[in-house]
Amino acid sequence: MTHTNEQIIAYLQGKLTPQERATLLEEAQHDEALRKAIMAQMETSALLFLHESQADVEEGQQQLRTFKTRLRRKRWLHAAKQSWRYAAVLLMGMLTMWFFLPKPTPTKPTLSMQTLRVPYGQHCQMTLPDGSKVWLNANTTLRFATPFVDKRHLFLQGEALFDVAKNKQLPFVVTANGVNIEALGTRFHVKNYAGTPLCVSLLRGSVRVFRTEAPRKSVLLQPHESIMATDTGFVALHFDEEMNLWQQGMLSFQSASLATIIQDLKQYYGVKISIKNRNILQTHYSGRFRTSDGAAEILRVLSCMNGFRVSENKKNNEIIIQ
């Protein structure tokens, strides 16, 4: 921004508003030319103050050059005494400018909301601005505002693994379905798909889990512990060592009911699964499958163990179990 001599003179004469003063000083800290212009005007004003009969600026500046020559040669004691008057006036101006005048109020950075969506059948890994790493499973949405100012606050819908960079000044909080997971330098897993209970598992470090409306009723997790959110609080779950195999393109089921497996396949592949024979839903299965196999092929493999039939309606993206 270009400032005229009139603006600088108005500043020295105290005629600017507090906001105008603050803006000018803030710009002077980053603009060397503006800073030099202000200091030059202060020198000139100081000279005119000492020599009130000299109204011409150039004459005042000539007096300053003459004064400096006399001081270097030390010819007259009068010149040395006069130097203290100049120094006092200039120092007073500098102190007024940098210390006594109101400083500009720091402005908060403008926040920008970032949103990442992972489609069905895919997964991805990303590094956050603070260095934390996040792995997102299929059908997952992660939102967060940047830059991180008071805390690192993320909002999750779906499934993710977090490896948090340590920063005690910026707490790391993940909010999912009204539940907050707060961590400092840790590695934890969150599963929060629509229609299923929220589950949190801790792999390393520690996390505090609490509902937004009841922060004092929190649960502190230790490594290799898992909990599930309920309407009344949180309950402990069996810790599944293979919960994150989806990072490697694998789906793992450990003594899971067919109902649970079907729910996971719907969430991962975005396919409709219709069940004609509901008597088989509580049958339990264990196994690993490649995500590239697809939902229909996984169900066909399971059907060989229990004798149900699997068919497809590709036009409607539907799998039928009977």
Side-chain angles (χ1 to χ4, degrees):
M1 179 178 181
T2 302
H3 293 270
T4 64
N5 288 334
E6 288 76 11
Q7 288 175 299
I8 298 175
I9 293 172
Y11 158 73
L12 295 174
Q13 294 177 346
K15 294 182 179 180
L16 296 181
T17 65
Q19 181 60 41
E20 292 172 336
R21 247 188 352 257
T23 300
L24 183 66
L25 291 181
E26 174 68 12
E27 293 182 4
Q29 292 180 1
H30 306 287
D31 188 336
E32 183 178 359
L34 175 59
R35 188 163 57 250
K36 288 182 178 180
I38 294 176
M39 296 305 299
Q41 188 62 50
M42 288 177 66
E43 288 184 356
T44 301
S45 299
L47 287 169
L48 293 176
F49 173 79
L50 293 174
H51 302 276
E52 296 182 359
S53 61
Q54 298 175 343
D56 184 74
V57 173
E58 293 184 0
E59 186 175 352
Q61 293 175 337
Q62 180 61 40
Q63 284 285 347
L64 179 60
R65 290 191 290 270
T66 301
F67 155 71
K68 291 179 179 178
T69 301
R70 291 177 179 178
L71 181 60
R72 286 194 301 269
R73 295 177 180 177
K74 298 183 179 180
R75 292 179 179 178
W76 295 283
L77 177 62
H78 173 72
K81 293 181 180 180
Q82 189 78 343
S83 69
W84 289 104
R85 296 180 64 192
Y86 284 100
V89 173
L90 293 176
L91 179 60
M92 180 179 65
M94 293 174 66
L95 289 174
T96 299
M97 177 178 180
W98 300 110
F99 295 100
F100 294 111
L101 287 179
K103 297 294 187 295
T105 303
T107 57
K108 290 186 176 181
T110 302
L111 299 181
S112 175
M113 184 61 71
Q114 312 295 326
T115 301
L116 179 63
R117 295 183 177 89
V118 182
Y120 289 111
Q122 304 292 325
H123 63 269
C124 75
Q125 186 267 330
M126 67 176 297
T127 301
L128 299 176
D130 68 324
S132 297
K133 294 182 178 180
V134 185
W135 290 263
L136 302 173
N137 204 354
N139 188 26
T140 294
T141 300
L142 184 70
R143 297 186 300 112
F144 57 93
T146 57
F148 296 134
V149 181
D150 299 321
K151 63 180 177 181
R152 298 167 286 178
H153 198 175
L154 299 88
F155 299 87
L156 175 71
Q157 177 67 52
E159 185 174 11
L161 174 67
F162 298 90
D163 198 337
V164 183
K166 291 184 179 180
N167 188 334
K168 294 182 178 180
Q169 284 69 46
L170 286 177
F172 191 99
V173 180
V174 176
T175 297
N177 196 25
V179 174
N180 299 289
I181 304 100
E182 183 177 8
L184 285 173
T186 191
R187 185 179 177 93
F188 64 98
H189 171 270
V190 182
K191 191 172 184 179
N192 175 47
Y193 285 110
T196 61
L198 167 73
C199 297
V200 180
S201 300
L202 181 65
L203 288 80
R204 185 183 66 240
S206 64
V207 294
R208 187 171 71 96
V209 185
F210 60 95
R211 291 191 180 276
T212 303
E213 67 274 14
R216 294 185 178 181
K217 296 181 179 179
S218 61
V219 176
L220 187 65
L221 287 187
Q222 300 300 322
H224 297 89
E225 289 184 345
S226 299
I227 60 171
M228 179 178 68
T230 68
D231 293 337
T232 58
F234 303 97
V235 297
L237 289 178
H238 168 71
F239 184 83
D240 183 3
E241 297 283 355
E242 298 187 348
M243 71 182 77
N244 294 315
L245 279 182
W246 52 265
Q247 292 178 268
Q248 304 170 31
M250 302 286 292
L251 293 179
S252 174
F253 303 106
Q254 299 297 320
S255 189
S257 67
L258 183 58
T260 299
I261 294 173
I262 289 174
Q263 184 67 33
D264 286 351
L265 295 179
K266 286 181 178 180
Q267 292 164 351
Y268 191 89
Y269 294 103
V271 64
K272 180 180 179 181
I273 301 177
S274 300
I275 304 162
K276 303 298 184 181
N277 180 7
R278 307 192 69 83
N279 294 328
I280 63 174
L281 290 180
Q282 296 310 313
T283 305
H284 287 68
Y285 301 88
S286 296
R288 293 182 180 179
F289 302 90
R290 295 188 300 268
T291 56
S292 58
D293 290 340
E297 183 60 27
I298 292 173
L299 288 171
R300 286 192 183 97
V301 173
L302 296 178
S303 71
C304 295
M305 304 177 190
N306 198 32
F308 60 85
R309 291 186 300 166
V310 178
S311 60
E312 289 184 82
N313 184 339
K314 294 186 177 181
K315 181 178 180 180
N316 296 330
N317 192 29
E318 181 182 13
I319 298 173
I320 303 166
I321 297 176
Q322 52 188 358

